[in-house]
Amino acid sequence: MSISIFNPEESDEDVHYILTSEEISKELAAYCLDNYKDKLTFFQNPINQKLIKDIDFLWRFWKRRNYHTETQITLTGIEN
């Protein structure tokens, strides 16, 4: 079994996927952006820094189906 260690220098493709993929909710992408943007090399690039300013506008296009998520509750451990 191989253990993979996070390498910020190799994370640019993953960050781009989180920001642009319709499979990732806007809320999860926003959480990652809010908590880790200062630690990722992706945002050290001046062009990518400009994305932060307009990220909500961009998410409306990148995450069309997931921009407005629906509230859902999952019940677990229910005894009948």
Side-chain angles (χ1 to χ4, degrees):
M1 174 188 250
S2 163
I3 296 177
S4 162
I5 297 175
F6 176 73
N7 184 346
E9 287 80 27
E10 296 176 1
S11 66
D12 288 1
E13 186 177 326
D14 296 328
V15 172
H16 185 266
Y17 179 78
I18 289 169
L19 294 177
T20 61
S21 174
E22 284 196 68
E23 295 177 11
I24 306 293
S25 71
K26 176 189 73 121
E27 290 80 11
L28 179 58
Y31 175 83
C32 293
L33 184 66
D34 291 342
N35 291 289
Y36 300 104
K37 70 181 174 201
D38 297 332
K39 299 175 184 174
L40 298 168
T41 59
F42 183 85
F43 295 109
Q44 292 174 3
N45 177 329
I47 294 171
N48 293 339
Q49 286 177 353
K50 291 179 183 182
L51 293 176
I52 296 172
K53 178 182 165 197
D54 298 319
I55 198 68
D56 190 64
F57 176 79
L58 295 168
W59 278 336
R60 290 178 186 264
F61 294 97
W62 290 338
K63 300 180 179 294
R64 289 181 185 136
R65 287 180 277 154
N66 284 335
Y67 184 80
H68 297 287
T69 57
E70 298 177 15
T71 305
Q72 297 179 358
I73 297 175
T74 303
L75 300 175
T76 61
I78 298 175
E79 295 180 28
N80 290 331

